[in-house]
Amino acid sequence: MDTLIWIMLALLLLFSWLLLAWRRLHGREWQPYVPARARIEGGGVKRGLTPAEGAILLGRPLHVALTLVVFDLLRKGLVVQVEDDPLIVEVVEAFRTRGSGLSAQARGDQRRRAAQALSKPMHIYEEAFIEILEANPGQPVHTVDYSIAIQPLLRYVAGRVGGYDLEDSRAYYRLIIDRAPREARSDGVLTFERQKVFDRNFGWVLLGDDFEAVLDQEDYSYEPVWWRTSDVLRPTSFARWAQDVFAAMQAAVPEDLVDAGLQREADGTTVTLMNDIARATFRG
C-alpha cells in the first residue's frame, strides 16, 4: 500500500513539473490578448537610387522625374535626340521591338540582351518608357502619354525604399544633390576635370535648385555626352535648353493620374510618396 502511495505521489510531482515546463514554453497562451497594430518598420538609408528615383523619393514634381528618365536614356545612348525644339527622340535600332510579334516579356528580354551586349545598364522602369517612345515616333516627348509607365515607376520606387527610413534616406539624397556642384568646384579649374565630374553627377546636378548657374560659368558651359558625340548643331547652352525641356514636360503629367492611384494604393510607403508628389505637382 505504501508503495502505491509513493508511486502516486511521484506521478503527481512529475505531472506538476511537466505542466510547469509546458506553461513556461507556451506562456503566451496565458497572456491577455493584445490586438495587432499595423505599422511600417523602417530603418537605415536606401542607397543606390538613380536621380529619377531620387526625385520621386524627395517628392519632386512628377515632370522632373519624367524628364530625368528621358535624359538618362539619352545619356546612355538607348535613345537619340533628333530635334531640339521641341525635344524629339528616337529609340536606337538595337532596342526596337515594335512589329516583331513578340510578347511583352520577350520584348523586354530582347532589350535587356541588347543592353548587356552594349554594356548599357537598363533599369526595369526604363523598359516601359522605351516601349512608349518607340510607339510614338516623331512625337515631341512632352506630348507623349506616359500614363501606363508612371504608376509602375512610382510603385517600383516605393518597393525599393520600403522598409528603410524615408526621412533619413531623403536627407542622404539631399546631401548628394548639394554636394554634386561643390565636387566640380573642388576638382580644379581644368575644364576636362569639371566635365568628368558633371558626367558622373549629371542627374543629381539637374536636381539642384539652380543648375543653370552651376553648368554655365564664365569660362565653361557644360554639354552632356550625347551633345558632344553628335554632329547636329545644338543650342549654345544646354542648361537653358534643359530648363525649357523641364518646363515643357509639365504637360505630360495628367492631373488625375496620381490622385487616381492614391485611391487604389494601400501600402503606406507608396501613399506617402504619391501624396508628396501630388502636392508638389498639382497643388503647389
Side-chain angles (χ1 to χ4, degrees):
M1 187 68 176
D2 290 341
T3 302
L4 181 60
I5 293 174
W6 281 110
I7 292 174
M8 292 179 65
L9 287 173
L11 291 173
L12 181 61
L13 288 172
L14 178 62
F15 175 77
S16 300
W17 181 84
L18 291 173
L19 180 62
L20 180 61
W22 186 82
R23 290 183 63 174
R24 285 179 177 175
L25 288 173
H26 302 275
R28 293 175 184 172
E29 300 291 337
W30 278 268
Q31 293 178 4
Y33 173 71
V34 178
R37 291 179 296 176
R39 62 181 182 179
I40 300 174
E41 297 291 347
V45 171
K46 174 57 184 175
R47 293 173 170 81
L49 298 182
T50 66
E53 293 170 335
I56 290 173
L57 171 65
L58 292 170
R60 296 294 181 86
L62 192 51
H63 72 275
V64 172
L66 296 184
T67 306
L68 290 176
V69 171
V70 174
F71 281 176
D72 213 28
L73 293 176
L74 284 163
R75 182 185 64 84
K76 292 187 290 189
L78 306 185
V79 302
V80 293
Q81 180 179 343
V82 295
E83 294 289 345
D84 297 323
D85 187 18
L87 173 60
I88 298 175
V89 302
E90 182 180 81
V91 176
V92 172
E93 185 174 357
F95 295 91
R96 296 177 197 165
T97 60
R98 191 168 177 79
S100 62
L102 299 174
S103 65
Q105 178 65 43
R107 292 197 302 272
D109 291 342
Q110 181 173 313
R111 290 194 186 98
R112 283 188 290 274
R113 287 193 298 269
Q116 186 175 13
L118 297 173
S119 298
K120 302 287 188 181
M122 185 169 64
H123 301 287
I124 293 174
Y125 64 83
E126 291 176 326
E127 295 182 23
F129 285 90
I130 293 175
E131 184 104 0
I132 292 170
L133 292 171
E134 185 184 359
N136 295 274
Q139 189 170 334
V141 295
H142 72 277
T143 65
V144 174
D145 183 2
Y146 300 99
S147 299
I148 62 172
I150 290 176
Q151 287 193 18
L153 170 61
L154 296 175
R155 287 192 291 269
Y156 175 75
V157 175
R160 294 200 69 194
V161 301
Y164 293 88
D165 189 292
L166 288 183
E167 288 311 311
D168 285 352
S169 297
R170 285 170 168 169
Y172 172 77
Y173 287 101
R174 290 189 190 103
L175 181 62
I176 289 178
I177 293 167
D178 184 58
R179 187 178 60 196
R182 294 206 308 268
E183 185 179 344
R185 289 196 296 270
S186 66
D187 266 18
V189 297
L190 293 177
T191 300
F192 178 70
E193 291 299 323
R194 277 183 286 184
Q195 179 174 286
K196 285 174 56 179
V197 174
F198 286 141
D199 284 346
R200 184 169 64 247
N201 297 328
F202 177 66
W204 301 115
V205 172
L206 293 179
L207 281 172
D209 291 333
D210 190 12
F211 68 79
E212 186 174 340
V214 172
L215 297 179
D216 281 342
Q217 301 171 19
E218 289 184 3
D219 62 336
Y220 176 71
S221 184
Y222 174 76
E223 293 184 352
V225 62
W226 77 88
W227 278 32
R228 301 195 302 265
T229 56
S230 172
D231 295 330
V232 178
L233 184 64
R234 301 296 183 196
T236 55
S237 169
F238 165 76
R240 286 196 294 272
W241 175 83
Q243 290 276 25
D244 293 339
V245 175
F246 274 112
M249 282 293 282
Q250 295 183 58
V253 183
E255 188 165 348
D256 60 346
L257 183 65
V258 176
D259 286 333
L262 281 170
Q263 296 172 12
R264 296 194 300 269
E265 297 294 345
D267 175 74
T269 301
T270 308
V271 171
T272 297
L273 296 182
M274 294 179 78
N275 262 320
D276 291 344
I277 291 168
R279 191 177 303 113
T281 304
F282 305 121
R283 301 169 197 145

PDB file of all heavy atoms in Angstrom, residues 28 32 75 84 88 97 102 112 117 138 140 151 156 160 168 180 188 201 213 247 259-260 267 276:
ATOM      1  N   ARG A  28       2.716  32.471 -23.638  1.00  0.00           N
ATOM      2  CA  ARG A  28       1.891  33.455 -24.351  1.00  0.00           C
ATOM      3  C   ARG A  28       0.421  33.081 -24.330  1.00  0.00           C
ATOM      4  O   ARG A  28      -0.446  33.918 -24.509  1.00  0.00           O
ATOM      5  CB  ARG A  28       2.368  33.584 -25.792  1.00  0.00           C
ATOM      6  CG  ARG A  28       3.752  34.207 -25.918  1.00  0.00           C
ATOM      7  CD  ARG A  28       4.225  34.207 -27.345  1.00  0.00           C
ATOM      8  NE  ARG A  28       5.582  34.714 -27.454  1.00  0.00           N
ATOM      9  CZ  ARG A  28       6.300  34.676 -28.558  1.00  0.00           C
ATOM     10  NH1 ARG A  28       5.775  34.154 -29.663  1.00  0.00           N
ATOM     11  NH2 ARG A  28       7.529  35.146 -28.589  1.00  0.00           N
ATOM     12  N   PRO A  32      -2.819  38.164 -21.713  1.00  0.00           N
ATOM     13  CA  PRO A  32      -4.023  38.783 -22.274  1.00  0.00           C
ATOM     14  C   PRO A  32      -3.831  39.120 -23.740  1.00  0.00           C
ATOM     15  O   PRO A  32      -2.742  39.484 -24.168  1.00  0.00           O
ATOM     16  CB  PRO A  32      -4.205  40.055 -21.424  1.00  0.00           C
ATOM     17  CG  PRO A  32      -2.842  40.330 -20.860  1.00  0.00           C
ATOM     18  CD  PRO A  32      -2.207  38.984 -20.656  1.00  0.00           C
ATOM     19  N   ARG A  75      21.554  59.888 -72.282  1.00  0.00           N
ATOM     20  CA  ARG A  75      22.939  59.806 -71.787  1.00  0.00           C
ATOM     21  C   ARG A  75      23.535  58.425 -72.054  1.00  0.00           C
ATOM     22  O   ARG A  75      24.710  58.310 -72.420  1.00  0.00           O
ATOM     23  CB  ARG A  75      22.962  60.110 -70.284  1.00  0.00           C
ATOM     24  CG  ARG A  75      24.351  60.103 -69.657  1.00  0.00           C
ATOM     25  CD  ARG A  75      24.271  60.298 -68.151  1.00  0.00           C
ATOM     26  NE  ARG A  75      23.575  59.201 -67.494  1.00  0.00           N
ATOM     27  CZ  ARG A  75      24.156  58.054 -67.145  1.00  0.00           C
ATOM     28  NH1 ARG A  75      25.444  57.850 -67.374  1.00  0.00           N
ATOM     29  NH2 ARG A  75      23.460  57.107 -66.533  1.00  0.00           N
ATOM     30  N   ASP A  84      15.554  69.491 -81.375  1.00  0.00           N
ATOM     31  CA  ASP A  84      15.812  70.243 -80.149  1.00  0.00           C
ATOM     32  C   ASP A  84      14.567  70.935 -79.601  1.00  0.00           C
ATOM     33  O   ASP A  84      14.309  70.896 -78.402  1.00  0.00           O
ATOM     34  CB  ASP A  84      16.892  71.307 -80.389  1.00  0.00           C
ATOM     35  CG  ASP A  84      18.225  70.701 -80.773  1.00  0.00           C
ATOM     36  OD1 ASP A  84      18.553  69.630 -80.227  1.00  0.00           O
ATOM     37  OD2 ASP A  84      18.919  71.279 -81.627  1.00  0.00           O
ATOM     38  N   ILE A  88      12.525  65.859 -79.520  1.00  0.00           N
ATOM     39  CA  ILE A  88      12.028  64.609 -80.091  1.00  0.00           C
ATOM     40  C   ILE A  88      13.171  63.605 -80.047  1.00  0.00           C
ATOM     41  O   ILE A  88      14.311  63.939 -80.383  1.00  0.00           O
ATOM     42  CB  ILE A  88      11.550  64.799 -81.548  1.00  0.00           C
ATOM     43  CG1 ILE A  88      10.386  65.789 -81.604  1.00  0.00           C
ATOM     44  CG2 ILE A  88      11.123  63.465 -82.153  1.00  0.00           C
ATOM     45  CD1 ILE A  88       9.927  66.121 -83.022  1.00  0.00           C
ATOM     46  N   THR A  97      11.572  46.872 -80.820  1.00  0.00           N
ATOM     47  CA  THR A  97      10.928  45.551 -80.879  1.00  0.00           C
ATOM     48  C   THR A  97       9.541  45.632 -81.503  1.00  0.00           C
ATOM     49  O   THR A  97       8.859  44.621 -81.624  1.00  0.00           O
ATOM     50  CB  THR A  97      10.799  44.948 -79.468  1.00  0.00           C
ATOM     51  OG1 THR A  97       9.999  45.820 -78.653  1.00  0.00           O
ATOM     52  CG2 THR A  97      12.153  44.758 -78.814  1.00  0.00           C
ATOM     53  N   LEU A 102       6.587  39.629 -80.865  1.00  0.00           N
ATOM     54  CA  LEU A 102       6.973  39.051 -79.582  1.00  0.00           C
ATOM     55  C   LEU A 102       6.024  39.500 -78.473  1.00  0.00           C
ATOM     56  O   LEU A 102       5.392  40.555 -78.563  1.00  0.00           O
ATOM     57  CB  LEU A 102       8.398  39.469 -79.225  1.00  0.00           C
ATOM     58  CG  LEU A 102       9.509  39.036 -80.189  1.00  0.00           C
ATOM     59  CD1 LEU A 102      10.831  39.660 -79.769  1.00  0.00           C
ATOM     60  CD2 LEU A 102       9.626  37.518 -80.216  1.00  0.00           C
ATOM     61  N   ARG A 112      16.918  43.771 -72.944  1.00  0.00           N
ATOM     62  CA  ARG A 112      17.938  43.557 -71.911  1.00  0.00           C
ATOM     63  C   ARG A 112      19.186  42.902 -72.504  1.00  0.00           C
ATOM     64  O   ARG A 112      20.307  43.223 -72.109  1.00  0.00           O
ATOM     65  CB  ARG A 112      17.357  42.714 -70.773  1.00  0.00           C
ATOM     66  CG  ARG A 112      16.441  43.512 -69.834  1.00  0.00           C
ATOM     67  CD  ARG A 112      16.050  42.704 -68.622  1.00  0.00           C
ATOM     68  NE  ARG A 112      15.133  41.626 -68.962  1.00  0.00           N
ATOM     69  CZ  ARG A 112      13.817  41.759 -69.042  1.00  0.00           C
ATOM     70  NH1 ARG A 112      13.264  42.952 -68.811  1.00  0.00           N
ATOM     71  NH2 ARG A 112      13.041  40.741 -69.332  1.00  0.00           N
ATOM     72  N   ALA A 117      24.760  43.531 -74.301  1.00  0.00           N
ATOM     73  CA  ALA A 117      25.758  43.442 -75.376  1.00  0.00           C
ATOM     74  C   ALA A 117      26.507  44.754 -75.551  1.00  0.00           C
ATOM     75  O   ALA A 117      27.686  44.766 -75.920  1.00  0.00           O
ATOM     76  CB  ALA A 117      25.073  43.033 -76.680  1.00  0.00           C
ATOM     77  N   GLY A 138       8.641  60.299 -83.752  1.00  0.00           N
ATOM     78  CA  GLY A 138       8.474  61.647 -84.290  1.00  0.00           C
ATOM     79  C   GLY A 138       7.616  62.559 -83.442  1.00  0.00           C
ATOM     80  O   GLY A 138       7.350  63.696 -83.838  1.00  0.00           O
ATOM     81  N   PRO A 140       6.922  64.905 -80.123  1.00  0.00           N
ATOM     82  CA  PRO A 140       7.648  65.592 -79.053  1.00  0.00           C
ATOM     83  C   PRO A 140       7.448  64.884 -77.711  1.00  0.00           C
ATOM     84  O   PRO A 140       6.342  64.433 -77.398  1.00  0.00           O
ATOM     85  CB  PRO A 140       7.011  66.994 -79.041  1.00  0.00           C
ATOM     86  CG  PRO A 140       6.513  67.182 -80.444  1.00  0.00           C
ATOM     87  CD  PRO A 140       6.037  65.826 -80.875  1.00  0.00           C
ATOM     88  N   GLN A 151       2.661  55.093 -62.953  1.00  0.00           N
ATOM     89  CA  GLN A 151       2.341  54.423 -61.697  1.00  0.00           C
ATOM     90  C   GLN A 151       3.230  53.209 -61.424  1.00  0.00           C
ATOM     91  O   GLN A 151       3.644  52.994 -60.278  1.00  0.00           O
ATOM     92  CB  GLN A 151       0.858  54.062 -61.658  1.00  0.00           C
ATOM     93  CG  GLN A 151      -0.009  55.294 -61.455  1.00  0.00           C
ATOM     94  CD  GLN A 151      -1.433  54.956 -61.090  1.00  0.00           C
ATOM     95  OE1 GLN A 151      -1.735  53.848 -60.669  1.00  0.00           O
ATOM     96  NE2 GLN A 151      -2.318  55.913 -61.254  1.00  0.00           N
ATOM     97  N   TYR A 156       7.478  51.005 -58.163  1.00  0.00           N
ATOM     98  CA  TYR A 156       8.818  50.421 -58.181  1.00  0.00           C
ATOM     99  C   TYR A 156       9.715  51.133 -57.165  1.00  0.00           C
ATOM    100  O   TYR A 156      10.425  50.489 -56.383  1.00  0.00           O
ATOM    101  CB  TYR A 156       9.408  50.528 -59.592  1.00  0.00           C
ATOM    102  CG  TYR A 156      10.837  50.063 -59.706  1.00  0.00           C
ATOM    103  CD1 TYR A 156      11.150  48.708 -59.693  1.00  0.00           C
ATOM    104  CD2 TYR A 156      11.880  50.991 -59.827  1.00  0.00           C
ATOM    105  CE1 TYR A 156      12.479  48.282 -59.798  1.00  0.00           C
ATOM    106  CE2 TYR A 156      13.196  50.569 -59.945  1.00  0.00           C
ATOM    107  CZ  TYR A 156      13.494  49.217 -59.934  1.00  0.00           C
ATOM    108  OH  TYR A 156      14.795  48.799 -60.033  1.00  0.00           O
ATOM    109  N   ARG A 160      11.413  49.813 -53.583  1.00  0.00           N
ATOM    110  CA  ARG A 160      12.854  49.871 -53.304  1.00  0.00           C
ATOM    111  C   ARG A 160      13.145  50.555 -51.964  1.00  0.00           C
ATOM    112  O   ARG A 160      14.083  50.168 -51.263  1.00  0.00           O
ATOM    113  CB  ARG A 160      13.597  50.614 -54.414  1.00  0.00           C
ATOM    114  CG  ARG A 160      13.586  49.909 -55.766  1.00  0.00           C
ATOM    115  CD  ARG A 160      14.707  50.431 -56.649  1.00  0.00           C
ATOM    116  NE  ARG A 160      16.007  50.013 -56.123  1.00  0.00           N
ATOM    117  CZ  ARG A 160      17.169  50.526 -56.527  1.00  0.00           C
ATOM    118  NH1 ARG A 160      17.194  51.500 -57.425  1.00  0.00           N
ATOM    119  NH2 ARG A 160      18.307  50.093 -56.026  1.00  0.00           N
ATOM    120  N   ASP A 168      15.532  59.684 -43.277  1.00  0.00           N
ATOM    121  CA  ASP A 168      16.992  59.535 -43.345  1.00  0.00           C
ATOM    122  C   ASP A 168      17.453  59.374 -44.791  1.00  0.00           C
ATOM    123  O   ASP A 168      18.493  59.922 -45.195  1.00  0.00           O
ATOM    124  CB  ASP A 168      17.439  58.323 -42.526  1.00  0.00           C
ATOM    125  CG  ASP A 168      17.397  58.583 -41.030  1.00  0.00           C
ATOM    126  OD1 ASP A 168      17.174  59.747 -40.642  1.00  0.00           O
ATOM    127  OD2 ASP A 168      17.573  57.625 -40.250  1.00  0.00           O
ATOM    128  N   ALA A 180      26.998  67.678 -55.206  1.00  0.00           N
ATOM    129  CA  ALA A 180      27.384  67.470 -56.609  1.00  0.00           C
ATOM    130  C   ALA A 180      28.061  68.685 -57.241  1.00  0.00           C
ATOM    131  O   ALA A 180      29.140  68.548 -57.826  1.00  0.00           O
ATOM    132  CB  ALA A 180      26.160  67.048 -57.424  1.00  0.00           C
ATOM    133  N   GLY A 188      39.286  71.306 -59.283  1.00  0.00           N
ATOM    134  CA  GLY A 188      40.279  72.100 -60.017  1.00  0.00           C
ATOM    135  C   GLY A 188      39.636  72.957 -61.085  1.00  0.00           C
ATOM    136  O   GLY A 188      38.435  72.950 -61.288  1.00  0.00           O
ATOM    137  N   ASN A 201      27.932  63.093 -62.115  1.00  0.00           N
ATOM    138  CA  ASN A 201      26.845  63.556 -61.243  1.00  0.00           C
ATOM    139  C   ASN A 201      25.700  64.197 -62.022  1.00  0.00           C
ATOM    140  O   ASN A 201      24.909  64.951 -61.448  1.00  0.00           O
ATOM    141  CB  ASN A 201      27.396  64.583 -60.239  1.00  0.00           C
ATOM    142  CG  ASN A 201      28.438  63.984 -59.321  1.00  0.00           C
ATOM    143  OD1 ASN A 201      28.374  62.804 -58.985  1.00  0.00           O
ATOM    144  ND2 ASN A 201      29.408  64.784 -58.918  1.00  0.00           N
ATOM    145  N   ALA A 213      23.142  77.963 -63.225  1.00  0.00           N
ATOM    146  CA  ALA A 213      24.328  78.706 -62.786  1.00  0.00           C
ATOM    147  C   ALA A 213      25.511  77.779 -62.557  1.00  0.00           C
ATOM    148  O   ALA A 213      26.662  78.184 -62.709  1.00  0.00           O
ATOM    149  CB  ALA A 213      24.009  79.477 -61.499  1.00  0.00           C
ATOM    150  N   ALA A 247      10.273  72.482 -68.241  1.00  0.00           N
ATOM    151  CA  ALA A 247       9.015  73.234 -68.231  1.00  0.00           C
ATOM    152  C   ALA A 247       7.996  72.618 -69.176  1.00  0.00           C
ATOM    153  O   ALA A 247       6.808  72.481 -68.836  1.00  0.00           O
ATOM    154  CB  ALA A 247       9.281  74.692 -68.599  1.00  0.00           C
ATOM    155  N   ASP A 259      -3.730  61.179 -58.258  1.00  0.00           N
ATOM    156  CA  ASP A 259      -4.870  61.084 -57.350  1.00  0.00           C
ATOM    157  C   ASP A 259      -5.627  59.784 -57.551  1.00  0.00           C
ATOM    158  O   ASP A 259      -6.095  59.165 -56.598  1.00  0.00           O
ATOM    159  CB  ASP A 259      -5.811  62.282 -57.555  1.00  0.00           C
ATOM    160  CG  ASP A 259      -5.230  63.558 -56.962  1.00  0.00           C
ATOM    161  OD1 ASP A 259      -4.431  63.454 -56.014  1.00  0.00           O
ATOM    162  OD2 ASP A 259      -5.564  64.643 -57.452  1.00  0.00           O
ATOM    163  N   ALA A 260      -5.766  59.346 -58.795  1.00  0.00           N
ATOM    164  CA  ALA A 260      -6.446  58.083 -59.071  1.00  0.00           C
ATOM    165  C   ALA A 260      -5.674  56.929 -58.460  1.00  0.00           C
ATOM    166  O   ALA A 260      -6.248  55.986 -57.918  1.00  0.00           O
ATOM    167  CB  ALA A 260      -6.601  57.877 -60.575  1.00  0.00           C
ATOM    168  N   ASP A 267      -0.426  50.462 -49.587  1.00  0.00           N
ATOM    169  CA  ASP A 267       0.882  50.440 -48.964  1.00  0.00           C
ATOM    170  C   ASP A 267       1.257  51.831 -48.466  1.00  0.00           C
ATOM    171  O   ASP A 267       1.158  52.812 -49.200  1.00  0.00           O
ATOM    172  CB  ASP A 267       1.931  49.954 -49.971  1.00  0.00           C
ATOM    173  CG  ASP A 267       3.339  50.042 -49.395  1.00  0.00           C
ATOM    174  OD1 ASP A 267       3.668  49.214 -48.543  1.00  0.00           O
ATOM    175  OD2 ASP A 267       4.063  50.964 -49.800  1.00  0.00           O
ATOM    176  N   ASP A 276       3.130  63.207 -51.541  1.00  0.00           N
ATOM    177  CA  ASP A 276       4.115  64.282 -51.667  1.00  0.00           C
ATOM    178  C   ASP A 276       4.243  64.740 -53.118  1.00  0.00           C
ATOM    179  O   ASP A 276       4.352  65.939 -53.403  1.00  0.00           O
ATOM    180  CB  ASP A 276       5.473  63.808 -51.151  1.00  0.00           C
ATOM    181  CG  ASP A 276       5.480  63.599 -49.642  1.00  0.00           C
ATOM    182  OD1 ASP A 276       4.555  64.106 -48.974  1.00  0.00           O
ATOM    183  OD2 ASP A 276       6.402  62.938 -49.139  1.00  0.00           O
TER     184      ASP A 276
END
